[in-house]
Amino acid sequence: MNDQVDVKPPVAEKIAKELSIHGDKRIDNYYWMNNREDPKVLAWLNAENAYLDTILSPEKKLREKLFTEMKSRIKETDMSVPYLKNGYYYYTRYEEGKEYPVHCRKKGSLEAPEEVILNVNELAAGHAYCQVAGLSVSPDTKLLAYGIDTVSRRRYTIRIKNLETNELLADEIHETTAGSTWASDNKTLFYSRKDTVTLRADRIMRHSLGVAADKEVYHEADETFDVAVSKTKSGKYIIINSESTLSSESRILDASKPNDAFRIFHPREKDMLYHVDHRDDKFYITTNWNALNFRLMETPLDKTSRQNWKELIPNRSDVLLEGVELFKEFTVLEERKGGLTQIRIINDKTHTEKYLPFSETAYTASVSSNPEMDSKELRYNYTSMITPNSVYDYNMETGTSELKRQQEVLGGYDPKDYATERLFATASDGTKIPVSIVYKKTFEKNGKGPLLLYGYGSYGNSMDATFSSTRLSLLDRGFAFAIAHVRGGQEMGRQWYEDGKMFKKKNTFTDFIAVAKFLVQQHYTDSVHLYAMGGSAGGLLMGAVANMEPALFNGIVAQVPFVDVVTTMLDESIPLTTGEFDEWGNPKNKDSYDYMKSYSPYDNVERKAYPNMLVTTGLHDSQVQYWEPAKWVAKLRELKTDHHLLLLHTNMEAGHGGASGRFKSLEEVALEYSFLLKLEGKEK
């Protein structure tokens, strides 16, 4: 495959490291890569980057063309739909040629003069990476708190800006998650602080403006829990939420009394999740207590323990309750049925209800930003694989819907040129796995068309059918694109997640393989033209299917892949490890260790032929450390018996999410697409 460029790939040095537990020995020849500061490691990563550049040098023009093409579809001067909060209309806009957003507001009316509250382009000047998050305006609308990260380790520093004078206050709060919550006094700020080694959010701090020392108000000692702070939609209560994969606990505080102690809403219990919001004289609780797919409860303000909870919406075996949005006179439910999202509106005055109607076979609808309780307008988002991202305002009283904005795709995109379908493949145990697919109408189902199959399948994160303007560059070159809604997500309800984790994790992999074989059987493609892609935990999926069914795919793109499962889950100093024992298991327990080892991609690389592979990572990744994909590639190079491409790309300036700018990130997509198109011989 790569004989056009006669160049040898880098060979990584082998230094045997014995890893032993439960009487089992593993030899890791590439353990030494676990040192970001070692010049030898950096040299090897740079050598791999240089190798990739050499191999893909014939595609350099194609990459540039793809980048320009994808960028040209983006409306460079663009603006979000303004939303009203505390008398101001807030919105975000982009300026032509600029990578980052400008956050703005107008007082009282959209005709009022614009106030720029934060121009991220100015903050990003001089930085290769810049991420700003957690914008939070004080209740009196005079101060803005925000988090900034210029390294890409998701360790944010909170800064505070005076919106009346545009001055930055001297306050600097380090090692945070970016988000912060104002008390009603406009001078007290609550935020979560991260452990500097594990990067776990483990404590809630109280910051008083102008005071150097912050006060710890809560420390989460359990290493399997993360902690966050927020406010109820009413603005009346501040909530600390401690959460692990399967259990949660809330603490509440009157927002007008920031120096008081938080009180426990209901003590944590194993396998019980709950989330709290407030309206008038009641708290509302979404919980899976005795309710696999969650239910909605209410309780008086002064009686928050569970024996006082009263059921409003029961658990349903076929409907997952995903979210609740409270208004003064309406309750809006985000539900999921048969793998599709739906929005249900209950009029609490008339006790009538309705569902918003959606007609496409595969789509995604979700509640958008609705900060005002006293509103009859529901803002919601809608998209499908052929309908660009759309924002609607729905009048819950009259039943009328108004399209406020649809993502503009420049260059003449016409949805009528494309088709989308929803299919069901049968898994090895008989389970029906949903598949969403999109292609140009000229695509022929003759078994020879190129098809890219995407999957994730972890943490209960559903991969819904959404629009992508960048994806058009593949569709217009003859590719079909499909999403395998495998177990481990939550597409078909909570049980779908339960059946794809811990000791059922392999269902995720076999489901994906079943979908791939189904698409071949249905003549969408064949194994010569079938490609797979997944990132992070979806990169684990890529590694597993590469080991299990290497001949099924012509090429695999593994983005920031979690592939060294056993070693990572044994190292509790690595960010995120302890919080994930309920997802993957704790390998200090022999049964978990044995099961993980049986599928961990790195541990199961064998001397055999593998498909063409492109592996990507970021040097500063805090979620999946760069050395996992690096070690995996080194081991694949050592053992694979084929002459297929194996390429590693390390972004030396970024982390888990890749590049931070809106255009810079397109370079990474262009790299992935040029790899796929090279394999297909479509190099234009």
Side-chain angles (χ1 to χ4, degrees):
M1 197 73 211
N2 56 357
D3 49 16
Q4 60 187 2
V5 181
D6 186 22
V7 59
K8 295 280 185 283
V11 176
E13 186 182 353
K14 288 167 67 172
I15 304 171
K17 165 92 174 173
E18 186 178 296
L19 302 168
S20 181
I21 188 172
H22 307 303
D24 183 54
K25 281 184 193 162
R26 290 178 303 136
I27 302 297
D28 187 346
N29 289 320
Y30 304 106
Y31 191 87
W32 61 269
M33 291 185 180
N34 178 348
N35 183 357
R36 194 178 276 102
E37 312 301 324
D38 185 346
K40 190 166 70 171
V41 173
L42 295 174
W44 187 77
L45 294 175
N46 283 318
E48 282 285 357
N49 279 350
Y51 175 68
L52 176 142
D53 287 340
T54 306
I55 294 294
L56 294 185
S57 58
E59 282 68 44
K60 191 164 186 285
K61 279 201 172 65
L62 174 61
R63 272 164 79 176
E64 288 166 2
K65 184 178 179 181
L66 287 164
F67 174 81
T68 306
E69 191 179 288
M70 292 187 287
K71 186 181 176 186
S72 72
R73 293 195 195 102
I74 297 170
K75 190 179 179 188
E76 292 206 24
T77 303
D78 206 2
M79 186 176 122
S80 67
V81 184
Y83 65 85
L84 181 65
K85 185 175 184 182
N86 281 358
Y88 280 89
Y89 285 94
Y90 289 89
Y91 58 95
T92 301
R93 60 178 177 80
Y94 283 93
E95 297 172 351
E96 188 166 350
K98 302 283 180 67
E99 292 273 1
Y100 296 96
V102 182
H103 299 281
C104 309
R105 68 180 183 180
K106 293 183 177 182
K107 189 169 186 177
S109 143
L110 290 172
E111 277 65 61
E114 177 180 271
E115 285 179 48
V116 173
I117 61 174
L118 200 65
N119 186 338
V120 182
N121 295 290
E122 293 172 2
L123 298 178
H127 297 289
Y129 179 93
C130 181
Q131 189 71 41
V132 169
L135 276 69
S136 176
V137 176
S138 59
D140 66 3
T141 70
K142 293 177 180 177
L143 298 169
L144 170 72
Y146 63 89
I148 181 166
D149 168 21
T150 54
V151 177
S152 188
R153 287 285 284 170
R154 300 192 185 182
R155 293 161 69 171
Y156 290 85
T157 297
I158 293 174
R159 300 302 311 264
I160 298 152
K161 183 180 179 183
N162 183 323
L163 296 177
E164 293 183 311
T165 65
N166 276 330
E167 290 174 299
L168 208 54
L169 305 194
D171 308 60
E172 274 193 53
I173 310 169
H174 299 284
E175 304 294 348
T176 78
T177 57
S180 56
T181 302
W182 291 95
S184 305
D185 64 1
N186 303 295
K187 62 183 183 186
T188 307
L189 203 59
F190 293 91
Y191 65 93
S192 42
R193 176 165 283 170
K194 286 189 163 187
D195 181 284
T196 54
V197 176
T198 65
L199 302 190
R200 178 173 75 93
D202 65 347
R203 57 197 74 217
I204 301 297
M205 311 293 290
R206 185 176 69 224
H207 176 80
S208 300
L209 294 187
V211 177
D214 292 353
K215 173 129 178 54
E216 182 183 300
V217 294
Y218 177 65
H219 174 231
E220 178 52 70
D222 189 327
E223 291 186 340
T224 65
F225 280 73
D226 276 344
V227 66
V229 63
S230 60
K231 216 181 219 177
T232 57
K233 184 173 174 178
S234 65
K236 298 280 177 64
Y237 292 91
I238 292 169
I239 298 189
I240 292 175
N241 194 50
S242 291
E243 189 160 334
S244 70
T245 309
L246 299 174
S247 173
S248 65
E249 177 180 70
S250 293
R251 286 168 165 72
I252 54 172
L253 177 69
D254 184 327
S256 65
K257 300 173 181 174
N259 294 316
D260 283 9
F262 282 81
R263 65 182 174 93
I264 291 180
F265 191 88
H266 179 76
R268 68 187 65 181
E269 293 180 28
K270 191 175 183 295
D271 299 334
M272 175 180 156
L273 294 164
Y274 72 91
H275 294 104
V276 179
D277 207 349
H278 163 254
R279 177 172 64 189
D280 299 332
D281 60 349
K282 291 192 176 71
F283 286 115
Y284 291 79
I285 309 107
T286 314
T287 181
N288 67 346
W289 170 55
N290 289 345
L292 180 66
N293 278 330
F294 290 81
R295 55 179 166 163
L296 180 63
M297 322 279 277
E298 65 173 24
T299 197
L301 299 182
D302 57 347
K303 295 178 179 169
T304 61
S305 59
R306 200 177 60 200
Q307 61 264 36
N308 303 296
W309 298 0
K310 180 180 148 204
E311 184 176 88
L312 296 175
I313 305 285
N315 176 66
R316 291 152 291 169
S317 61
D318 61 339
V319 179
L320 176 67
L321 176 59
E322 288 202 314
V324 177
E325 186 77 40
L326 299 173
F327 293 87
K328 192 174 176 186
E329 296 176 351
F330 299 90
T331 302
V332 178
L333 306 179
E334 288 185 282
E335 300 178 340
R336 185 180 286 278
K337 183 176 183 179
L340 292 172
T341 51
Q342 50 190 27
I343 296 175
R344 176 183 176 189
I345 296 161
I346 300 169
N347 185 320
D348 293 311
K349 270 198 319 189
T350 62
H351 302 291
T352 55
E353 62 174 70
K354 62 181 93 162
Y355 282 90
L356 292 184
F358 305 116
S359 57
E360 290 184 271
T361 54
Y363 66 87
T364 304
S366 61
V367 170
S368 183
S369 184
N370 293 273
E372 296 282 311
M373 295 219 48
D374 192 5
S375 174
K376 293 178 171 55
E377 297 278 339
L378 168 72
R379 179 158 294 171
Y380 70 92
N381 303 315
Y382 178 87
T383 181
S384 77
M385 294 172 103
I386 58 174
T387 304
N389 300 315
S390 311
V391 180
Y392 287 88
D393 277 354
Y394 176 79
N395 187 305
M396 295 183 281
E397 212 160 55
T398 65
T400 55
S401 230
E402 182 190 354
L403 176 63
K404 302 299 286 185
R405 178 185 182 272
Q406 186 170 80
Q407 174 191 351
E408 211 175 317
V409 183
L410 303 184
Y413 169 72
D414 186 348
K416 292 196 219 44
D417 294 340
Y418 303 82
T420 181
E421 291 181 82
R422 198 153 176 274
L423 313 166
F424 284 89
T426 304
S428 48
D429 62 0
T431 304
K432 298 291 183 192
I433 311 299
V435 187
S436 301
I437 188 166
V438 64
Y439 46 82
K440 206 161 185 181
K441 284 181 177 172
T442 50
F443 179 84
E444 290 183 55
K445 298 175 193 173
N446 59 7
K448 301 291 177 202
L451 186 146
L452 176 59
L453 181 61
Y454 184 84
Y456 186 73
S458 289
Y459 306 110
N461 289 343
S462 299
M463 295 291 114
D464 289 316
T466 57
F467 183 77
S468 162
S469 68
T470 55
R471 191 191 296 143
L472 296 173
S473 290
L474 279 187
L475 303 184
D476 290 350
R477 286 173 173 81
F479 267 77
F481 176 85
I483 303 169
H485 302 287
V486 294
R487 282 174 284 188
Q490 220 160 234
E491 284 92 338
M492 301 293 281
R494 186 72 176 177
Q495 194 62 48
W496 205 248
Y497 168 49
E498 297 289 341
D499 288 343
K501 68 181 179 74
M502 297 290 284
F503 294 102
K504 295 180 178 177
K505 186 67 223 165
K506 287 181 188 174
N507 283 339
T508 305
F509 317 141
T510 53
D511 286 0
F512 190 85
I513 288 164
V515 169
K517 289 181 174 176
F518 168 78
L519 291 169
V520 170
Q521 286 158 6
Q522 298 299 307
H523 305 296
Y524 284 88
T525 189
D526 62 14
S527 57
V528 180
H529 301 285
L530 177 60
Y531 302 90
M533 179 186 278
S536 195
L540 160 64
L541 170 60
M542 295 302 103
V545 301
N547 283 332
M548 293 164 77
E549 291 272 1
L552 186 54
F553 304 94
N554 187 36
I556 289 177
V557 178
Q559 306 154 314
V560 293
F562 172 43
V563 283
D564 192 11
V565 183
V566 179
T567 306
T568 290
M569 293 305 295
L570 279 168
D571 186 349
E572 294 179 19
S573 73
I574 291 178
L576 306 184
T577 294
T578 55
E580 310 227 327
F581 289 153
D582 287 331
E583 181 75 26
W584 312 104
N586 183 348
K588 287 184 177 165
N589 301 324
K590 188 175 186 312
D591 53 352
S592 288
Y593 172 85
D594 290 342
Y595 187 72
M596 274 181 198
K597 190 184 169 194
S598 73
Y599 70 74
S600 170
Y602 182 66
D603 290 293
N604 287 281
V605 173
E606 295 173 321
R607 194 169 293 284
K608 63 184 178 189
Y610 280 88
N612 295 287
M613 293 169 81
L614 170 64
V615 182
T616 65
T617 185
L619 183 63
H620 300 288
D621 197 323
S622 61
Q623 313 298 104
V624 177
Q625 308 299 319
Y626 74 88
W627 60 77
E628 292 200 35
K631 287 166 54 175
W632 183 44
V633 166
K635 191 171 181 182
L636 281 164
R637 286 218 187 287
E638 177 196 345
L639 294 176
K640 75 191 194 81
T641 58
D642 57 84
H643 297 292
H644 293 145
L645 292 181
L646 174 59
L647 303 173
L648 173 67
H649 178 256
T650 304
N651 186 327
M652 304 301 274
E653 295 172 344
H656 199 61
S660 58
R662 62 174 173 155
F663 303 130
K664 193 86 179 143
S665 58
L666 295 178
E667 292 176 6
E668 297 176 8
V669 182
L671 168 66
E672 293 164 358
Y673 285 7
S674 66
F675 172 75
L676 296 170
L677 292 164
K678 177 187 181 76
L679 297 176
E680 268 303 299
K682 295 176 184 282
E683 300 191 27
K684 288 184 181 169

